[in-house]
Amino acid sequence: MQPAQIVVTIIAGIVAGWLASFVLGGGGLIKYLIWGLLGSAVGGFLLPLVGIKLDLGHPLLTQIVTAAIGAVVVVLIARLIA
């Protein structure tokens, strides 16, 4: 990955984590980033697995929504375990 891609991924992760925390509650920049980055991996794995293909017209928007869905899943699983 190039530096610009890493920055975009981190920003998308923060936004996705913020969206997940808005839905589920909780907060903090570090938590947003962790939830978003983990959510990106989880969403990127789960959505195709269940046959969902998001195409929201812009790759960054699609990445953010996929990561936010994954982050919600991550947070819900973490809450079930804790």
Side-chain angles (χ1 to χ4, degrees):
M1 272 186 136
Q2 298 205 1
Q5 291 174 312
I6 293 170
V7 170
V8 168
T9 301
I10 290 171
I11 291 170
I14 291 170
V15 171
W18 175 80
L19 288 171
S21 72
F22 182 73
V23 171
L24 299 171
L29 183 61
I30 301 300
K31 282 185 182 180
Y32 294 162
L33 178 59
I34 293 169
W35 291 346
L37 293 177
L38 289 174
S40 182
V42 170
F45 174 76
L46 284 181
L47 292 181
L49 187 67
V50 296
I52 298 173
K53 169 118 173 75
L54 292 179
D55 185 9
L56 303 174
H58 194 278
L60 181 59
L61 180 61
T62 301
Q63 179 182 1
I64 289 171
V65 171
T66 299
I69 292 169
V72 167
V73 171
V74 168
V75 172
L76 288 175
I77 290 172
R79 288 184 180 176
L80 285 174
I81 292 172

